[in-house]
Every structure is written in C-alpha cells, then in structure tokens.
Amino acid sequence: MAIAVFCNEVKGKSMLAFARDIDVQYKTAFVLAHKLREAIASSTKALGIGGEGRTAEIDGAYFGGHIRPENLASDRIDRRLAENQSGKRQVVVAMRERGGRTLARVFAAEADAVAAIRQRVAKGTTVHADESAAWNPLHASFAMQRINHQDGFSIGGACTNGAESYFSRLRRGELGHHHHIAGPYLVRYAREAAWREDFRRVDNGEQIYGIVGLAMRCRPSVDFCGYWQRARAA
C-alpha cells in the first residue's frame, strides 16, 4: 500500500501526508520513502545513455543554500553575490537521452560534472547543452550543439527542453511537497524525480511492480537501516 501511495504522485510525496495515508509516524514514513528512493536509484547505478545516432541533453540547476532575508529592508544583503552565499548550494546535473532515461548527479559546480558525463554518455552521442562555459570541455568528446536561452528555447535544432522538463518536476516537488531538499538528501530526491519523469506515462500497476522488484533485489540500506536508532544512541 505504501508503494502504491508513493507512486501515485507525479512530483513527489510529502512525508506528513505519506505518514497520514499509511497511518504511521512521520519518521517511519521518512525512512521508508528514502529506502524506496534507494531502490529507484539502483536501476541507474551502472546505466549508460546515448550512442551512435542518439541524442542526449545536458543541463544543471542549483538547489539548497537558502539564506533567510533580514526583516528590515535596510539590513538586507544581495544574496546573489558569492561573498553572501552560505556555501551549501549544490547543482543537480541532468543527463537525459531523448526517448530514453534520465541520469541525475549532484556536484558542487557544473564544471565538476564533466568527468561523470564522459563516463555515462556513450561516444558518438550528439549532446545538446546551453551556453554555460562548464560544458566547453565536452566538445573534445562529443558532437555538441549549443543554445543560448536568452535567444530562444530551440534554435537550429539545439534544444534542452527535455532536461528543463525534468528540472521543472524537481523544482515543483521542492516547492509544493518537500519545501527543502538539500545537503546529503538532494541526490536522492533528484534521482526520484528522474524516475518520475521517465515513467510518467506508465500506469500505476507497472510502476508499483517495478519498484517492488527493485526493492527486493536491494541489500539492507547502508544509510537508512537503523537510521533513527543510531541518532538515539548518539
């Protein structure tokens, strides 16, 4: 029942609502949902995308590191400046094959994702990316098509709308359900959103049995087995 409730959402599930739906404590729902996210992530653990004649889109979006503004306008700072950042902001980089799967990784900066992209995206893939200088080194490995989004959403065939669609789902999940997804948990929510985006048109039954199969093949969770008991012992 918990898996069915978890699957039925399109942008993620609030843990308060999840706890009410299955009649358990909040912490039970929290740990259970993260174990389900672990199972979902296991399906892309060694997955590569692209290949000859295929197209992949690369893009990044920043999450976390929110700085609460001061009450008085005279005391507020420009939170866009580097010196006023919290240092906790991270970028989710999406590698999405058109007509295929979405891979999501978390890095401190977009430039740090280049090695992972070369590892996960097969040679011969046509890669579409925006104007960010972080993607310049990829020209040596792939046939690149670049687009400046200040000029348009799609120009001359270059387009990253698939990756943008994924980020829209993740962002709406953050704002509408989770409210705060950052730190060590960000990668888990990012991979959950990738799964929801890839299987958005798959019926509930297939989604449920897919997660059940993945969960049954997973070993006991390293991070969440005894999660609350460790906190209490400490």
Side-chain angles (χ1 to χ4, degrees):
M1 177 181 174
I3 294 176
V5 170
F6 183 82
C7 287
N8 200 43
E9 299 292 339
V10 295
K11 295 186 290 290
K13 183 69 176 178
S14 161
M15 289 303 96
L16 286 172
F18 195 33
R20 288 194 293 267
D21 287 345
I22 61 177
D23 194 22
V24 297
Q25 296 182 52
Y26 171 87
K27 62 183 183 181
T28 303
F30 177 86
V31 171
L32 175 57
H34 273 300
K35 288 182 177 180
L36 294 178
R37 293 183 184 107
E38 266 190 5
I40 287 170
S42 70
S43 67
T44 59
K45 189 173 182 180
L47 181 67
I49 63 172
E52 291 291 340
R54 296 184 179 180
T55 301
E57 299 177 10
I58 306 296
D59 204 358
Y62 283 84
F63 292 82
H66 173 73
I67 302 172
R68 187 188 298 274
E70 295 291 339
N71 175 44
L72 297 177
S74 59
D75 295 333
R76 294 174 191 166
I77 58 177
D78 188 345
R79 293 176 291 166
R80 296 170 298 179
L81 299 178
E83 60 265 27
N84 295 329
Q85 296 292 317
S86 66
K88 297 180 180 179
R89 198 159 176 78
Q90 300 178 90
V91 62
V92 176
V93 173
M95 299 165 262
R96 185 169 191 181
E97 181 181 343
R98 291 184 181 174
R101 297 295 303 272
T102 304
L103 304 179
R105 296 280 300 274
V106 174
F107 301 91
E110 284 185 335
D112 298 336
V114 171
I117 293 169
R118 287 173 173 158
Q119 181 182 23
R120 291 299 195 101
V121 180
K123 292 183 178 179
T125 306
T126 299
V127 174
H128 291 228
D130 61 17
E131 71 282 3
S132 171
W135 313 131
N136 290 346
L138 295 176
H139 283 272
S141 305
F142 304 101
M144 298 287 294
Q145 291 196 32
R146 308 290 293 274
I147 180 171
N148 189 326
H149 288 306
Q150 291 182 343
D151 298 330
F153 295 115
S154 177
I155 299 176
C159 177
T160 60
N161 285 352
E164 297 288 350
S165 174
Y166 159 73
F167 286 123
S168 176
R169 186 177 301 271
L170 179 58
R171 190 76 71 186
R172 293 310 305 170
E174 176 192 33
L175 296 175
H177 295 286
H178 309 301
H179 304 299
H180 176 72
I181 51 175
Y185 302 111
L186 177 57
V187 66
R188 302 177 186 278
Y189 289 103
R191 288 169 176 168
E192 176 199 350
W195 178 85
R196 292 189 185 279
E197 178 72 9
D198 291 344
F199 292 91
R200 65 193 184 280
R201 302 199 184 280
V202 174
D203 62 78
N204 278 28
E206 189 173 337
Q207 289 184 1
I208 291 167
Y209 286 117
I211 291 182
V212 168
L214 291 171
M216 294 298 288
R217 289 193 291 272
C218 283
R219 294 176 178 271
S221 172
V222 174
D223 294 325
F224 291 98
C225 184
Y227 180 84
W228 292 99
Q229 292 84 340
R230 287 199 301 273
R232 187 163 59 245

